């Protein structure tokens, strides 16, 4: 990260000139030494920060007090000013991580958006008020708290409106906020602020993808979807399987069948019967709800909630999908190879996630079975039929043998007409004609899946299971 100067030495960590500058490469002096701060309104605060070792100038002798800071820089300034986290705590791979670790552990309202100029005054107020008090604030309440405490007098007037929450935070303003915070607050609260709203592994809809990556790390895969977002898929541990839809760097969808990964504000609990959850849903949701054999679908506050059910277990909620209601799916005819591969992988993942939740051994992906499954889906689509037996009279076992599979046990599941692999999976799980038994059969060891787009059903799905 650069703040407008060039490092002449190779240093293992990046530099925040405002906060973490290396004395050997920056320009340290009193504020009076900076030609661009001599008559600046923030001159006194800049002088304090320079003397405290929290700020320094650029190699050209300037300070640039009106340049914007990022969230990470503001957070680091706050924590270093109180001596909570220091430069020596920084990690080689990511200087920001130590500061975000502390904030995230305490539930401070950070959003991980570090685009230059993207950090707003309202977000600074939220961070200061929440950290100082150890409780959650709304943005206006946080601004009012700063005004009441004398930490801010606003930008134009000492009112919520005059605070100008939507404005950016400059270097001089950041130092002023922190100076006044230290004057009024002896130290940030050690209390942990509990998460509000519905979260999946601590992530909420509309969070930035940077928070997801910070919290869970890089996904195992990034898959296309039938919507205008990509699935960030985490299949490493099938017993805690999660997926997050990401569009324009924001979380717009979340899915999991793991009860322990969800914290739902509406009282929806994966693993509980639907009947016990319905009374807890927000008022008015019943009027827009849709129930099918394998799911219950309702809208609330701009979010679509799909509760996938297990009808064999008293309509137990087997999984939950949350998605922004404003999103529209593309037609199957508009989907291509990326979406086909993604749905095939998704169908495989969902079987393993189902098995893992029940303590059944997970299956290995088998490319031969995948080729047989894809070919059968394509054949059904092209020839407009839906059956395990092809129009040429070939059975699933014939098709598996034809691609070179030698098995001691084998089976096939097929589905068609469902919008994606999630809906297809839960239809198969709710089947009363053997599909469920195949999914949960602990004697199988391998699985390949195949998807085809087109035909009278739109999307065709095939799963070929076997044990060598």
């Amino acid at each position: 990260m650069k703040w407008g100067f060039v490092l002449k030495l190779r240093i293992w960590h990046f530099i925040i000139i405002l906060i973490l500058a290396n004395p050997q490469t920056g320009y340290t002096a009193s504020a009076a030494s900076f030609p661009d701060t001599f008559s600046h309104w923030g001159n006194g605060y800049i002088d304090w920060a320079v003397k405290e070792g929290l700020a320094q100038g650029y190699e050209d002798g300037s300070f640039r007090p009106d340049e914007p800071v990022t969230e990470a820089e503001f957070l680091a300034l706050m924590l270093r000013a109180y001596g909570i986290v220091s430069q020596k705590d920084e990690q080689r791979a990511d200087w920001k991580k130590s500061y975000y670790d502390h904030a995230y552990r305490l539930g401070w309202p950070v959003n991980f958006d570090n685009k230059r100029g993207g950090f707003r005054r309202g977000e600074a107020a939220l961070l200061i008020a929440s950290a100082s008090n150890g409780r959650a604030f709304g943005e206006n309440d946080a601004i009012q708290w700063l005004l009441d405490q004398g930490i801010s007098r606003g930008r134009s007037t000492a009112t919520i409106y005059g605070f100008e929450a939507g404005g950016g935070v400059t270097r001089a303003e950041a130092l002023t906020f922190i100076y006044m915070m230290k004057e009024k607050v002896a130290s940030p609260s050690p209390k942990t602020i509990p998460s509000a709203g519905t979260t999946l592994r601590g992530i909420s809809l509309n969070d930035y993808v940077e928070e997801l990556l910070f919290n869970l790390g890089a996904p195992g895969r990034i898959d296309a979807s039938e919507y205008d977002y990509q699935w960030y898929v985490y299949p490493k541990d099938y017993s805690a399987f999660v997926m997050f839809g990401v569009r324009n760097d924001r979380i717009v969808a979340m899915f999991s069948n793991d009860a322990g990964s969800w914290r739902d504000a509406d009282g929806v609990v994966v693993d509980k019967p639907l009947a016990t959850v319905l009374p807890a849903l927000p008022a008015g949701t019943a009027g827009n709800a849709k129930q099918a054999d394998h799911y219950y679908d309702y809208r609330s506050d701009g979010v679509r909630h799909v509760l996938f059910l297990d009808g064999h277990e008293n309509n137990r909620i087997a999984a939950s999908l949350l998605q922004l209601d404003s999103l529209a799916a593309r037609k199957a005819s508009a989907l291509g190879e990326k979406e086909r591969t993604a749905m095939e992988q998704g169908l495989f993942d969902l079987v393993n996630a189902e098995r893992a939740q029940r303590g059944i051994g997970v299956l290995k992906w088998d490319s031969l079975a995948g080729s047989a499954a894809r070919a059968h889906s394509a054949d059904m689509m092209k020839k407009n039929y839906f059956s395990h037996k092809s129009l040429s009279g070939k059975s699933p076992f014939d098709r598996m043998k034809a691609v070179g599979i030698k098995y001691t046990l084998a089976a096939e599941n097929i589905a068609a007409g469902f919008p994606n692999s999630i809906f297809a999976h839960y239809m198969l799980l709710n089947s009363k004609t053997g599909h469920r038994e195949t999914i949960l059969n602990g004697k199988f060891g391998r699985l390949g899946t195949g998807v085809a787009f087109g035909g009278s059903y739109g999307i065709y799905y095939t799963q070929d299971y076997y044990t060598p």
Side-chain angles (χ1 to χ4, degrees), residues 248-448:
N248 296 333
D249 293 332
R250 294 283 191 132
I251 307 301
V252 298
M254 307 189 296
F255 170 85
S256 181
N257 68 335
D258 178 43
S261 294
W262 285 104
R263 296 290 182 273
D264 197 299
D266 290 347
V268 174
V269 180
V270 171
D271 273 346
K272 298 295 183 182
L274 177 65
T276 66
V277 168
L278 290 178
L281 297 184
T285 58
N288 62 43
K290 176 183 178 181
Q291 184 166 0
D293 289 340
H294 58 291
Y295 67 88
Y296 184 88
D297 186 334
Y298 70 94
R299 270 75 170 167
S300 177
D301 294 329
V303 176
R304 180 189 182 191
H305 302 248
V306 185
L307 309 179
F308 293 97
L309 308 175
D310 188 337
H312 293 266
E313 297 178 1
N314 193 29
N315 270 354
R316 176 181 65 87
I317 299 173
S320 182
L321 167 68
L322 270 64
Q323 179 176 286
L324 296 185
D325 197 24
S326 58
L327 301 173
R330 291 172 290 158
K331 294 181 179 179
S333 59
L335 305 180
E337 184 62 26
K338 291 189 297 183
E339 290 80 14
R340 178 166 70 167
T341 300
M343 288 191 187
E344 290 170 346
Q345 290 287 336
L347 203 58
F348 174 81
D349 285 337
L350 289 163
V351 168
N352 275 339
E354 198 70 50
R355 291 166 71 97
Q357 284 290 322
R358 300 164 186 269
I360 304 170
V362 299
L363 303 173
K364 293 182 179 179
W365 171 261
D366 190 88
S367 57
L368 292 178
S371 66
R374 179 179 279 197
H376 186 55
S377 288
D379 191 59
M380 289 190 292
M381 179 272 291
K382 292 175 182 176
K383 297 178 181 177
N384 197 30
Y385 72 96
F386 181 72
S387 173
H388 290 289
K389 190 174 184 179
S390 72
L391 296 184
S392 62
K394 301 295 184 182
S395 72
F397 315 108
D398 295 328
R399 294 189 291 272
M400 289 189 212
K401 290 176 182 177
V403 297
I405 292 175
K406 296 180 180 180
Y407 61 83
T408 58
L409 183 68
E412 180 177 84
N413 282 346
I414 58 174
F418 298 93
N420 57 46
S421 55
I422 302 176
F423 281 85
H425 169 76
Y426 284 101
M427 184 284 296
L428 292 168
L429 187 69
N430 278 272
S431 169
K432 298 177 182 178
T433 56
H435 302 89
R436 175 189 181 89
E437 287 76 9
T438 299
I439 291 171
L440 302 179
N441 190 334
K443 295 181 180 179
F444 285 122
R446 299 186 182 183
L447 170 63

Side-chain angles (χ1 to χ4, degrees), residues 90-110:
E90 293 177 23
Q91 298 183 20
R92 182 183 298 270
D94 184 359
W95 69 266
K96 305 183 294 295
K97 190 174 188 307
S98 298
Y99 304 101
Y100 274 120
D101 276 344
H102 184 86
Y104 205 74
R105 178 173 57 82
L106 293 179
W108 291 359
V110 288

Side-chain angles (χ1 to χ4, degrees), residues 29-52:
S30 69
S33 302
F34 302 121
D36 54 350
T37 65
F38 182 73
S39 59
H40 194 275
W41 66 263
N43 183 60
Y45 301 108
I46 295 168
D47 195 50
W48 164 77
V50 169
K51 290 176 180 177
E52 290 291 313

